[in-house]
Amino acid sequence: MEPEQIDILEDEEQQLYEHFRIEVDRGQEALRIDKFLFEHMQHSSRNRIQKAADAGFVHVNDRPVKSNYKVRPGDVITLMLDRPHYDTTITPEDIPLDVVYEDDQLMVINKEAGMVVHPGCGNFSGTLVNAVAWHLRNLPSYDPNDPEVGLVHRIDKDTSGLLVVAKTPEAKTSLGVQFFNKTTHRSYLALVWGNFTEEEGRIEGNIARDPKDRLRMAVFPPDSDTGKPAVTHWRVAERFGFVTLVECRLETGRTHQIRAHMRHIGHPLFGDERYGGTEIRRGERSSTYKAFINNCFKLCPRQALHARTLGFVHPLTGKPMDFSSALPADMAALIAKWRGFIRGYQGEIEE
């Protein structure tokens, strides 16, 4: 039986623009195209994909199909919309940067919370790479639109801390290999809900998009075929009874790795709305305690996560390079508030 296709009227004035393209793997089983695209398009819901198909925007081998079309090996699927794809050319923008270190090969930046690292997903200006482009605007050899230079790794918008930018292709290749081979050193400080029975531990679990929420990552068994392997080592830095300050060291660098891993073991990051950290997970239910927690959220209105240290070998000199960053004001104030609360709380218990 031939797959059902949509008949649409040709309109000489209508022009469609390609926004997404994928070729179906040889081993792909028959699967509805709306489900297939949902699994391969990170920032689209199944409902939006179905509406796009109903409007004639989902094409297979250059012909529009309905959302119940079953994909076949070798199919070329395209999303064709009636508006041009957003221009993602990176333009320099005069945005202040906290440059921790810089030479002719690289620069290390201490990113503030709230700054998007790279254009995309509705954030097409005001990003870190726009700021870097401005900072290096007088360097003829640096092209911000050349993928062979620039950011070597990323951190989330609402995570603060250290990042390294490569100024030359050689530097980016060298640093990229170090990240791939897990020879770099990165540690984060995170305030998480709950107390730990141990002083340190290891979290291992594959990370992939959460099928229930495409903007969130989920953890799957290490031996499963779902997701990419991820390992996080944690160590208690300071205990506050209801929350704990932990140091996290990454073996891998998956999207939302610490946030997803900590939620997976029942200790979501404090203030992390997407992963359940804005709910009161531990402590009393009194109005006083609730008011205290709400004040904490206002003090640090983001996930309490900071990329504190970064270490690698310099791509040209071979010299070990190690950098550290102090806690930003919002996280420092949050931790100080918890210290004061616990001192008072313990005092009440002792009395």
Side-chain angles (χ1 to χ4, degrees), residues 175 178-186 250 310-313:
L175 291 167
Q178 292 180 55
F179 274 87
F180 180 79
N181 291 334
K182 306 173 187 176
T183 58
T184 58
H185 306 284
R186 286 180 290 166
L250 299 182
L310 175 62
F312 52 85
V313 172

Side-chain angles (χ1 to χ4, degrees), residues 45-117:
S45 67
R46 191 167 177 181
N47 181 256
R48 289 179 64 186
I49 293 169
Q50 290 171 343
K51 287 181 178 180
D54 291 341
F57 293 149
V58 176
H59 292 203
V60 174
N61 304 325
D62 298 324
R63 295 190 63 185
V65 297
K66 289 184 177 180
S67 56
N68 63 354
Y69 171 80
K70 299 289 183 67
V71 300
R72 301 172 176 178
D75 277 347
V76 176
I77 303 172
T78 52
L79 177 63
M80 308 293 295
L81 299 182
D82 55 357
R83 57 186 182 276
H85 199 283
Y86 193 94
D87 184 7
T88 56
T89 301
I90 297 167
T91 56
E93 295 180 40
D94 188 3
I95 303 170
L97 280 176
D98 181 5
V99 179
V100 176
Y101 173 84
E102 183 175 8
D103 62 25
D104 59 354
Q105 295 293 311
L106 58 91
M107 57 192 296
V108 176
I109 298 169
N110 187 25
K111 186 187 85 69
E112 64 180 22
M115 176 182 274
V116 177
V117 170

